Amino acid sequence: MSGTITSASGPGRLSGLGVVLWREHRAMLGRWIARLRREPLTIAALLAQPMIWLLLFGHLFAGMANTASVPGDSYVQFMTAGAVVMTIFNACLQGGVELLFDRETGLLSRMFAAPVHRISIVSSRFVYLVALTSAQSAIILFAAYLIGVRYATGLAGIAACLAIGAAFGAGVTSLSMVLAFSLRSHSQFFPITGFVGLPLTFVSSALVPVDLMPSWMRVLAGLNPMTHAIDGVRSLVLHGWRLDVLAATAGALLLFDLCCLALAAWVLRRKLP
Amino acid sequence: MSTTASYTADGAAPPAVEADELTHNFGATRALDGTTFAVERGEIFGLLGPNGAGKTTAIRILLTLLEPNGGKARVAGLDVTRHPIGVRRRVGWVPQDRTVDPLMTARENLTFAAGLYHLGTAAGRDRAAELLRLVDLDDDADRLARALSGGMRRRLELAMGLVHVPDVLFLDEPTLGLDITSRRRLWTYVREIQRTGTTILLTTHYLDEADALCDRVAIIHQGRIQAVDTPAELKRAFGRATVHARLPEPAPELAKRLGRHPHVHHIRVAGDVIELDTDATVPATGALVDECRAAGAAPLDLWTQRASLDDVFLTLTGQELHTDVESDSPEMT
């Protein structure tokens, strides 16, 4: 009986698997989009938060920045890269919590009792967050354009910025998943992400050039993957296609992603039935 | 198909669910201790026991969510540890948790569930519409689940377990927390699902639910199955009927004489009422009337009370089902 089933599914197996994975992703993504649509406050926050960083803090720090040497025509132009990467960082760092909520309600167990591929539950979350943060990034870049920021590499450079953001976001999302599957409840999740979020942002090149930092902090900033993502995006915004900078960014983010994905794979393998 | 009801030992039509000497420990706590039972195709089978008896652990093993420490389990003919994917395709599950997404409509919750079982868009939409009709939610199909009543959400949960037309449906405490009207209504849907040929395994700690709904009931206590049979047969075999008589005046001395009668098992005297537990009401009643008359105290009133599953449970486990449930403590001594 089982023999006939295997042989029948033999030739069409790959396309069959493709259809199955597509249906699983469509179901999961459809759910998150349906949920997002019904949370207008969340949508407003997703749009407002990066604008606040860029417009409010951009102008707040601009005065101080006049006394120091900040690359670029204006502080806002300098900070645009920081605002994009910070937004991606925050969204992805919180990105795993939906799965933690599903764990708490029991819906995740219901999914595990279904023949869904475990990878779809995780990868659909990646796809969702990459799409969401890319849209946010595009809006920030457009808003910055409206207030006078010009891009050295044009539209192709903006596409490259989104690719760097996605590579960085994938690693952060993996870490968020690790938290979501390791912690007991969301009351532990938010203090941890809150505790980690701001220091990592300040110990990066988001708001201040690394050259202006004390030397010990410069070392920490160099170890912070956020710095590397920002440096790549900033170079595309301010200077153009500098292949040495982009190669360094790509190398650092690849290493970061590999470490995070390996950790996530190890944790999930132990936690999932 | 015609042989579904006649399962024989040669294995022509295996049971829908077989648990064979399942054991499972959580740390030092033994949740399952050689749990063995079989659910026949097409029946509604109840696992009855207090919280902490091992019901949920057994269900999680059968659903491939938990690997047993020992023993074997087969669902729809497939071994749960060797063929988990095959098992998942063939079983539906309605957990006792609230897994309906409150931010999606009833219909969206169902099409989401259909996607988890790999139905295509059109098939998922048709199946959702069919199930909304089955549980009488078609008028509320496009309302957000958070706006539905508790009973309606419960029906939606039930429908979500059926999107892929499972061979076996697991219902975990299906009517927990519902009012009596909603409970009875849910029971009618469960019977309707059984009529479509689906085998149903449900856990409950409601005795009336087990009595009203189940073809057979297994009583589980401390991780072991204590007895399996139809509710009627369990009551006959393990429960005693009670005959009550009200006398013109208290006659405590009758108790000793009645105790010698072969069918009388236990006697209680409470004021002018005398109660005796019996496995045969007619001879016991005759003896009671005779003895009372001989003592010059002919009974004024006589009535008989049948055994309930509660009594069966007490006989088999030495504890009452409901005291444990209310204290909600899994580690009762």
Side-chain angles (χ1 to χ4, degrees):
Chain A
M1 197 56 185
S2 61
T4 54
I5 288 167
T6 342
S7 63
S9 61
R13 211 168 144 206
L14 202 66
S15 63
L17 181 66
V19 169
V20 161
L21 289 174
W22 159 243
R23 285 177 180 171
E24 292 173 355
H25 278 73
R26 194 185 50 202
M28 306 285 290
L29 289 169
R31 173 165 170 252
W32 285 317
I33 291 165
R35 287 175 66 88
L36 183 66
R37 245 177 351 116
R38 285 165 188 140
E39 297 277 38
L41 271 179
T42 307
I43 298 176
L46 287 174
L47 295 177
Q49 192 213 23
M51 296 301 167
I52 288 170
W53 276 109
L54 190 65
L55 303 179
L56 216 63
F57 291 93
H59 285 102
L60 176 70
F61 293 135
M64 280 190 294
N66 288 339
T67 62
S69 60
V70 169
D73 300 335
S74 67
Y75 183 73
V76 172
Q77 192 187 22
F78 169 81
M79 211 195 123
T80 300
V84 167
V85 174
M86 267 163 25
T87 302
I88 293 168
F89 177 70
N90 286 329
C92 293
L93 192 61
Q94 309 297 343
V97 80
E98 293 270 347
L99 294 176
L100 182 51
F101 286 137
D102 289 348
R103 247 180 81 204
E104 288 172 357
T105 60
L107 179 57
L108 199 68
S109 287
R110 191 166 203 162
M111 291 183 209
F112 288 145
V116 176
H117 290 81
R118 275 47 183 153
I119 189 72
S120 295
I121 295 175
V122 174
S123 72
S124 59
R125 198 68 203 155
F126 278 92
V127 172
Y128 173 76
L129 285 168
V130 164
L132 185 73
T133 56
S134 295
Q136 278 183 291
S137 303
I139 290 168
I140 298 168
L141 292 170
F142 182 65
Y145 176 84
L146 291 182
I147 58 171
V149 173
R150 292 296 174 265
Y151 300 102
T153 46
L155 279 177
I158 286 173
C161 289
L162 297 183
I164 291 172
F168 174 64
V172 179
T173 304
S174 309
L175 295 181
S176 186
M177 298 275 187
V178 168
L179 286 181
F181 283 96
S182 309
L183 300 178
R184 229 175 313 113
S185 79
H186 69 273
S187 58
Q188 298 176 309
F189 186 92
F190 291 116
I192 290 176
T193 54
F195 178 76
V196 171
L198 265 188
L200 272 177
T201 304
F202 281 103
V203 187
S204 80
S205 53
L207 304 170
V208 180
V210 174
D211 301 339
L212 299 182
M213 292 178 180
S215 56
W216 62 270
M217 199 190 255
R218 218 176 293 171
V219 174
L220 290 182
L223 292 173
N224 186 349
M226 207 168 170
T227 300
H228 297 281
I230 292 167
D231 289 350
V233 173
R234 180 165 291 148
S235 164
L236 289 166
V237 173
L238 299 183
H239 308 300
W241 298 98
R242 286 192 179 167
L243 291 182
D244 53 335
V245 176
L246 294 177
T249 296
L253 291 181
L254 190 67
L255 185 67
F256 172 62
D257 282 350
L258 284 177
C259 292
C260 295
L261 285 171
L263 177 67
W266 181 70
V267 168
L268 294 191
R269 196 155 296 174
R270 288 172 61 245
K271 298 283 181 185
L272 302 192
Chain B
M1 284 314 273
S2 58
T3 60
T4 43
S6 59
Y7 163 66
T8 46
D10 55 283
V17 178
E18 291 169 276
D20 187 11
E21 290 292 324
L22 287 177
T23 57
H24 197 80
N25 304 315
F26 293 108
T29 313
R30 172 146 281 211
L32 294 183
D33 186 19
T35 310
T36 302
F37 62 89
V39 181
E40 304 299 338
R41 282 166 194 252
E43 73 175 336
I44 301 182
F45 186 91
L47 266 182
L48 182 66
N51 296 339
K55 288 173 297 178
T56 304
T57 308
I59 293 280
R60 291 184 75 83
I61 288 171
L62 296 171
L63 285 167
T64 76
L65 295 176
L66 193 65
E67 286 227 12
N69 293 145
K72 276 190 177 351
R74 288 156 72 86
V75 176
L78 297 173
D79 187 291
V80 291
T81 43
R82 280 189 294 159
H83 303 287
I85 306 284
V87 170
R88 287 175 197 146
R89 283 201 192 103
R90 288 168 179 78
V91 303
W93 178 33
V94 183
Q96 70 182 71
D97 300 308
R98 291 157 178 254
T99 63
V100 161
D101 190 327
L103 282 180
M104 291 202 291
T105 65
R107 194 190 302 280
E108 285 169 344
N109 269 291
L110 282 170
T111 48
F112 168 68
L116 298 182
Y117 288 89
H118 307 148
L119 271 70
T121 318
R125 200 172 41 222
D126 292 350
R127 185 67 182 147
E130 197 180 324
L131 288 170
L132 286 164
R133 270 198 305 279
L134 174 76
V135 297
D136 292 314
L137 281 177
D138 26 8
D139 290 340
D140 303 281
D142 298 307
R143 284 171 68 194
L144 287 188
R146 70 173 166 207
L148 301 178
S149 72
M152 289 163 118
R153 275 197 223 191
R154 212 56 225 163
R155 274 141 64 193
L156 182 55
E157 296 269 8
L158 183 66
M160 282 172 74
L162 292 168
V163 282
H164 55 303
V165 196
D167 293 344
V168 186
L169 180 66
F170 291 82
L171 301 177
D172 204 355
E173 301 283 355
T175 62
L176 190 69
L178 292 186
D179 61 68
I180 189 67
T181 321
S182 305
R183 293 181 66 204
R184 284 175 194 279
R185 185 156 185 192
L186 205 90
W187 292 348
T188 63
Y189 296 120
V190 173
R191 291 195 192 97
E192 239 168 90
I193 293 161
Q194 181 191 26
R195 272 197 288 277
T196 64
T198 309
T199 306
I200 295 165
L201 171 56
L202 68 89
T203 71
T204 184
H205 61 237
Y206 291 126
L207 294 152
D208 59 338
E209 184 157 282
D211 217 349
L213 211 48
C214 297
D215 298 312
R216 288 194 308 146
V217 171
I219 291 182
I220 184 167
H221 179 60
Q222 292 173 350
R224 293 190 70 87
I225 301 292
Q226 308 292 333
V228 186
D229 220 319
T230 61
E233 188 55 29
L234 282 175
K235 283 186 279 192
R236 204 196 57 75
F238 297 101
R240 308 267 186 233
T242 307
V243 180
H244 306 250
R246 193 161 59 80
L247 309 181
E249 59 199 38
E253 73 286 352
L254 272 175
K256 195 176 284 177
R257 282 155 61 186
L258 278 165
R260 291 190 215 110
H261 200 277
H263 290 290
V264 174
H265 298 281
H266 193 259
I267 302 154
R268 286 175 300 275
V269 179
D272 58 353
V273 174
I274 190 161
E275 302 174 9
L276 45 90
D277 295 345
T278 176
D279 55 293
T281 53
V282 173
T285 309
L288 178 61
V289 172
D290 290 349
E291 292 286 358
C292 290
R293 280 196 176 134
L300 302 173
D301 206 358
L302 266 179
W303 68 100
T304 308
Q305 202 175 13
R306 302 304 313 182
S308 70
L309 277 178
D310 228 335
D311 303 316
V312 177
F313 198 82
L314 185 63
T315 309
L316 285 169
T317 67
Q319 75 181 57
E320 294 211 24
L321 187 55
H322 276 137
T323 51
D324 196 354
V325 168
E326 274 152 33
S327 71
D328 209 27
S329 149
E331 54 273 317
M332 282 280 289
T333 46

